[in-house]
Amino acid sequence: MSAILTALELRKRLGDRVLFDGVSLTVHERDRIGLIGRNGAGKSTLLRMFVHGAPAQARSAVAGDLQDPDALEDALEPDSGQLSWRRELRLTYVPQEPRIAEALTVREVLLGGGPPEHEVLAVADGLRVARLDARIGELSLGERRRVALARAISSGADVLALDEPTNHLDARTIEWLESRLLTLSAALIVVTHDRYFLDRVATRIAELDRGKLYGYEGDYSEFLLRQAERMSVEQEHEAQRAAFVRREIEWIRRSPSARRTKAKARIDRFDAAVAAAPGAAAAPPRQAELRLPTGPRLGSTIVELEAVTRELGGKTLFRDLTLVMKPGDRIGIVGDNGAGKTTLVRTILGESRPDAGVVTIGANTKFGYLEQGRSELVDDRTVTEEVAEGYDFVELPEGKVHVRGFLRMLAFAEGAGEVKIGQLSGGERNRVQLAKLLRRGGNVLILDEPTNDLDLVTLGALEEALLDFPGCAFIVSHDRWFLDRVATAILAFEGDGQVVLYEGSYTFYQERREQRERAQRAAAPAAEVKARRGDRRAAAPAVGPRKLTFKERRELAGMEEAISVAEARVAELEVWASDPQRFKTPGEELRAKLAELDAQRAEVEALYARWQELEQLAAAEPT
């Protein structure tokens, strides 16, 4: 495939810091590149540099402009190096915070600029974009991002540049987004820390590390193995990164897919690479040391809900919810945006009263709450000042540790505590907020979307800290990999006020959910099918009286069988498409299968319409 974008030896200095030093990347048609790296490594800046370097006619204003473009103008120009684009190439960029004219309605944004109406509205439905007549100024940041994503995906661009596209999306919508992106012919460059997203969507990983860009063919799992091989031959050993890779590989080894022959061979290659590393056996890498403050010892009663019901705006969010938290529970809370997850958290905290039922909090229970809408940071303060809040030490299970030591546990670099908040990247600011709130401690943590914008190393440290945490936790998250690692049970909002607890991992919950949905699709009640057919007959247009021809009588006689065969094929293809592993299928084969599914659905509709027409003719035949 031909190259559509080439970056050659890009170099960029910001103040005294060299951000990039000889970064090169070639993007080909249909590439799906995951751009990863630590917070502050320059991922978003590099993505913006690609966008800024595109020819003016290539850029799409569909998804909003860069924030403060005048201030960013200098930062987007490389100090040296070259960017070249294929002629007539079309690019669409979705930043973390899209800027869209606030006076426009959602409908005007989605339909303005040329995409076919049916296509963009179908994408908007898949992304659960609501309130088409609402003005952009009335929407939350999450809602604006959905609008921008919907418009971008349906824009017909040759390249999609997406910065953290899964933030503010629930898990079901992320699964839909993954499936949709896999069907597009556009090349994709995406900055994300969503590991399941990378594992399912990416065909290449580009890691920005200490000013260099390292390329790896394959998905996230393959990246971990290739990265381990690279690290094994480097003379400079980076302890936290190596420990993180080891933990991830151990997790893959324990998963059911690791028992497959191909996965086992990959793991064997990793083991060989680690064994060959100079001094690996004598000096194993030091793991991240993050320890969460625990608060007092838990009592026999922790958190108990008995038949709790909560309604809001005439909608039942949860009904008759009964839950008893046990020692060691780490309960992941999942569900659609707006389902009531945050309201449940506020009900547990006592900030919102239930309409019915009882919430009992143990006498020794001390909550540590990380809210989703996090407090604003003061730009003129240093990181240490902001996290310490007047206290020099943090109380950990093994004793007191200075705030600076606590920051190192959260993978902040040496000296980072003296940096002003205003000089930090978005991901680094989020890490400061996490450190600030975790410092206060608690024996029951309530974490509302804790993983947003955290880099992979910090995510790994937080995962390990939660696994070692002696208390309990409620974790509201869309990060499926994170939940698989830390959750002991999943509390799922399933609609219509139903909230169900599934003991076990997120993957176990997902398998149970998909099995149920496949069974429902494959075994639709006969009464429902008859009702559909009856509705179609009633809606059939009147046809002038005439006698059926011999050919039409034969066609009518075989119509029910033809419909049954077509519907069975649709059900078969839907079952095929619902299996996440299918999206490892090569792009052309996948698109062919999904196109066949669309064609079969259209065939069913056409058969029903023809059946109605023939039955109307038969009923109106002159005697």
Side-chain angles (χ1 to χ4, degrees), residues 153-461:
I153 290 170
S154 55
S155 67
D158 302 299
V159 180
L160 292 179
L162 309 179
D163 199 344
E164 297 289 359
T166 66
N167 278 2
H168 305 285
L169 299 183
D170 56 74
R172 294 293 294 269
T173 306
I174 294 172
E175 291 169 12
W176 181 93
L177 176 62
E178 291 166 347
S179 300
R180 184 69 184 194
L181 290 175
L182 287 168
T183 68
L184 299 180
S185 59
L188 176 67
I189 310 173
V190 56
V191 173
T192 184
H193 302 119
D194 188 320
R195 289 162 286 183
Y196 272 140
F197 182 94
L198 289 169
D199 218 30
R200 190 177 181 191
V201 173
T203 57
R204 291 167 59 193
I205 302 292
E207 181 193 20
L208 194 57
D209 179 20
R210 293 164 291 178
K212 303 293 185 181
L213 194 69
Y214 298 90
Y216 306 85
E217 294 295 328
D219 56 20
Y220 178 71
S221 297
E222 188 68 24
F223 152 73
L224 290 171
L225 298 167
R226 298 297 184 190
Q227 185 196 51
E229 294 170 358
R230 175 174 71 84
M231 290 171 59
S232 71
V233 298
E234 287 183 344
Q235 294 184 354
E236 179 182 1
H237 191 76
E238 192 176 7
Q240 286 185 344
R241 183 182 302 276
F244 169 71
V245 171
R246 286 175 179 272
R247 290 195 299 266
E248 297 284 73
I249 297 298
E250 288 170 2
W251 170 249
I252 292 172
R253 184 183 288 112
R254 292 196 300 269
S255 69
S257 62
R259 292 190 287 270
R260 298 172 188 159
T261 301
K262 181 178 179 182
K264 185 178 184 302
R266 290 162 62 182
I267 292 169
D268 289 343
R269 293 204 309 274
F270 165 76
D271 290 335
V274 171
R286 179 177 60 86
Q287 296 194 6
E289 299 174 334
L290 175 60
R291 295 290 183 271
L292 301 177
T294 58
R297 185 182 180 88
L298 285 168
S300 57
T301 299
I302 304 172
V303 175
E304 296 184 0
L305 283 67
E306 182 179 356
V308 172
T309 296
R310 185 71 170 90
E311 295 184 357
L312 188 64
K315 176 184 177 183
T316 300
L317 300 179
F318 40 93
R319 180 189 301 110
D320 296 329
L321 175 58
T322 296
L323 176 70
V324 177
M325 177 165 263
K326 308 181 297 298
D329 274 352
R330 296 185 298 271
I331 299 175
I333 303 176
V334 302
D336 295 346
N337 287 345
K341 303 185 296 295
T342 299
T343 300
L344 174 60
V345 165
R346 295 183 63 240
T347 302
I348 293 172
L349 289 169
E351 297 176 358
S352 177
R353 294 180 60 85
D355 297 309
V358 177
V359 178
T360 303
I361 306 300
N364 291 348
T365 297
K366 179 186 177 183
F367 291 117
Y369 180 33
L370 176 67
E371 60 182 333
Q372 185 175 0
R374 304 182 187 160
S375 58
E376 290 296 321
L377 301 176
V378 180
D379 286 350
D380 290 337
R381 290 181 182 171
T382 67
V383 171
T384 300
E385 290 170 341
E386 192 67 39
V387 173
E389 296 181 304
Y391 297 88
D392 289 336
F393 294 92
V394 179
E395 294 282 352
L396 296 178
E398 58 269 30
K400 289 184 178 180
V401 62
H402 196 276
V403 169
R404 290 188 179 89
F406 185 63
L407 290 173
R408 287 195 295 271
M409 293 177 181
L410 270 172
F412 283 88
E414 195 70 36
E418 308 312 312
V419 176
K420 297 284 188 181
I421 296 294
Q423 297 175 318
L424 301 179
S425 70
E428 289 172 315
R429 292 173 69 94
N430 281 345
R431 197 139 47 94
V432 171
Q433 290 172 320
L434 177 65
K436 182 177 178 179
L437 290 162
L438 290 179
R439 181 197 60 77
R440 299 168 185 169
N443 52 25
V444 176
L445 301 180
I446 299 183
L447 309 178
D448 198 347
E449 298 293 359
T451 67
N452 277 356
D453 295 317
L454 294 183
D455 61 40
L456 296 176
V457 172
T458 308
L459 282 174

Side-chain angles (χ1 to χ4, degrees), residues 31-95:
D31 267 349
R32 298 196 297 270
I33 300 173
L35 181 57
I36 66 172
R38 288 191 173 189
N39 291 142
K43 303 181 299 297
S44 294
T45 300
L46 182 60
L47 192 67
R48 289 168 174 169
M49 194 174 289
F50 291 158
V51 174
H52 182 73
Q57 67 272 17
R59 302 180 207 166
S60 169
V62 160
D65 300 319
L66 295 174
Q67 290 208 342
D68 302 323
D70 293 337
L72 287 170
E73 193 74 13
D74 291 339
L76 293 171
E77 289 284 355
D79 296 331
S80 60
Q82 294 180 338
L83 277 167
S84 59
W85 290 79
R86 189 180 69 186
R87 288 186 178 182
E88 301 181 358
L89 180 134
R90 296 167 299 161
L91 166 79
T92 296
Y93 168 58
V94 182

Side-chain angles (χ1 to χ4, degrees), residues 17-45:
R17 178 186 175 196
V18 176
L19 196 61
F20 311 135
D21 186 11
V23 165
S24 297
L25 178 70
T26 300
V27 181
H28 300 91
E29 294 175 340
R30 296 189 175 88
D31 267 349
R32 298 196 297 270
I33 300 173
L35 181 57
I36 66 172
R38 288 191 173 189
N39 291 142
K43 303 181 299 297
S44 294
T45 300

Side-chain angles (χ1 to χ4, degrees), residues 459-500:
L459 282 174
L462 180 58
E463 288 166 355
E464 290 298 307
L466 284 169
L467 291 172
D468 291 338
F469 182 60
C472 297
F474 291 101
I475 306 163
V476 180
S477 181
H478 66 271
D479 190 323
R480 298 153 294 172
W481 190 293
F482 185 82
L483 289 176
D484 253 350
R485 290 291 294 272
V486 304
T488 60
I490 300 296
L491 190 64
F493 281 70
E494 299 192 334
D496 195 28
Q498 297 298 310
V499 182
V500 181

